[in-house]
Amino acid sequence: MIKNKKEKQFYLIVSLLLVVLSFGIWFFFKQRQKIKNKEIITLQQQQEISRLEALIDGEENERRRIAQELHDGLNGDLSAIKYRLSALEDSNLSPNDSENLTKVINMIDESCAQVRSISHNLMPSSIIDYGLAETIREFCIKMNASQPIKIDFQSFGNGIILPKKIETNIYRIIQELITNVLKHSEATEAMVQLNYRDDELFITVEDNGIGLDTTKPSDGIGLKNIKSRIDFLNAQLDVNCSSIGTSYTISIDLNKAK
């Protein structure tokens, strides 16, 4: 009787040990699988970031190439044409021909200015010289001078010096958002705001236009570029639309972005 009791206790203990051992093995492999899954997700994220970086670098290189060709090629040709035409001013032209010549030379000057402006927008060298905030301020001033819209720029907090690639991506996002405002919103006023708080940067772009219909999917290249750059920066984008305008808010953890 005692022997049977001890045997039962022994089998019970062995059974419990087997259960505990089985649970331990199951738990070990489950944790190991979790670690493997995290490693896979991390690798996929790194690959996605590398893909986005290559895409953005390719776009920036193409912008740089086009800007250089505009500056050195087209702008140079226009300057040469102006020089040739200017030589005719000393000729014995009739008052009417002289007036037309002056108009043509002025038109070439305006075209040269437009080419320089386009070239600068494609490759804003002021980011290297003056930083993000000043480059955006300059961009808003140029838009105010050339477009029928008033764009107000505000910057709060202590500006943080960021890698130029990050600043260029932020500038491109704002540039694309303002372009969307000009194309689609029918707005008369807009605002661009940078707000630095510790290691975070909050960007707001608002307008008083007709509002964006978020129920319709958009396949525009501009919005795809914005999304790619936001993903590259590990940032978050919130869009708030109403009948009195659209507000874009972008929050960037600068530690993650770096």
Side-chain angles (χ1 to χ4, degrees), residues 29-44:
F29 280 104
K30 186 175 181 180
Q31 291 300 111
R32 187 176 179 182
Q33 188 61 44
K34 282 185 178 180
I35 294 172
K36 286 290 183 184
N37 290 340
K38 286 182 180 179
E39 290 175 351
I40 291 171
I41 292 172
T42 301
L43 181 61
Q44 289 174 339

Side-chain angles (χ1 to χ4, degrees), residues 183-188 207-213 241-246:
K183 285 183 177 178
H184 308 298
S185 72
E186 300 180 16
T188 58
D207 66 68
N208 67 343
I210 58 176
L212 178 70
D213 188 355
C241 303
S242 69
S243 58
I244 58 174
T246 304

Side-chain angles (χ1 to χ4, degrees), residues 10-232:
F10 174 77
Y11 289 132
L12 180 60
I13 292 171
V14 170
S15 299
L16 289 173
L17 287 174
L18 288 173
V19 170
V20 172
L21 181 61
S22 300
F23 178 79
I25 294 172
W26 172 82
F27 183 77
F28 170 78
F29 280 104
K30 186 175 181 180
Q31 291 300 111
R32 187 176 179 182
Q33 188 61 44
K34 282 185 178 180
I35 294 172
K36 286 290 183 184
N37 290 340
K38 286 182 180 179
E39 290 175 351
I40 291 171
I41 292 172
T42 301
L43 181 61
Q44 289 174 339
Q45 289 174 340
Q46 290 173 347
Q47 290 174 340
E48 179 65 13
I49 289 172
S50 297
R51 186 190 68 81
L52 290 172
E53 185 172 13
L55 182 68
I56 290 169
D57 284 346
E59 183 182 328
E60 289 301 322
N61 289 335
E62 184 65 11
R63 284 175 179 265
R64 191 178 295 109
R65 183 188 67 79
I66 295 173
Q68 194 71 33
E69 288 185 2
L70 284 173
H71 185 271
D72 297 341
L74 182 57
N75 214 31
D77 292 343
L78 288 172
S79 297
I81 293 169
K82 178 186 174 182
Y83 175 77
R84 293 288 185 96
L85 290 174
S86 297
L88 298 175
E89 290 179 328
D90 297 331
S91 304
N92 293 322
L93 299 175
S94 67
N96 186 49
D97 289 340
S98 180
E99 182 182 353
N100 287 331
L101 178 61
T102 301
K103 289 180 179 179
V104 170
I105 291 174
N106 289 337
M107 289 171 66
I108 292 174
D109 285 337
E110 290 175 2
S111 297
C112 286
Q114 290 177 0
V115 169
R116 285 194 296 270
S117 178
I118 293 170
S119 178
H120 178 78
N121 285 336
L122 284 170
M123 200 63 238
S125 58
S126 54
I127 282 184
I128 298 174
D129 298 329
Y130 306 111
L132 176 64
E134 195 57 38
T135 301
I136 296 173
R137 187 189 308 277
E138 183 181 330
F139 172 72
C140 291
I141 290 172
K142 286 186 176 182
M143 290 296 101
N144 282 333
S146 61
Q147 301 291 335
I149 185 173
K150 182 180 182 299
I151 303 176
D152 183 33
F153 174 72
Q154 302 172 357
S155 181
F156 301 99
N158 297 322
I160 300 171
I161 298 175
L162 299 169
K164 295 308 173 185
K165 180 177 286 190
I166 291 177
E167 291 192 340
T168 300
N169 275 289
I170 294 172
Y171 172 77
R172 294 296 184 210
I173 291 171
I174 293 172
Q175 188 181 39
E176 198 68 57
L177 288 174
I178 290 296
T179 300
N180 285 343
V181 170
L182 294 174
K183 285 183 177 178
H184 308 298
S185 72
E186 300 180 16
T188 58
E189 295 182 0
M191 180 194 71
V192 179
Q193 186 181 96
L194 301 182
N195 195 343
Y196 293 91
R197 300 179 192 169
D198 298 326
D199 291 329
E200 288 186 292
L201 172 59
F202 297 90
I203 302 166
T204 303
V205 178
E206 293 180 347
D207 66 68
N208 67 343
I210 58 176
L212 178 70
D213 188 355
T214 56
T215 61
K216 294 182 179 179
S218 176
D219 296 324
I221 295 175
L223 290 177
K224 286 182 179 178
N225 286 341
I226 291 172
K227 187 179 185 308
S228 294
R229 293 181 186 278
I230 285 175
D231 289 344
F232 176 72

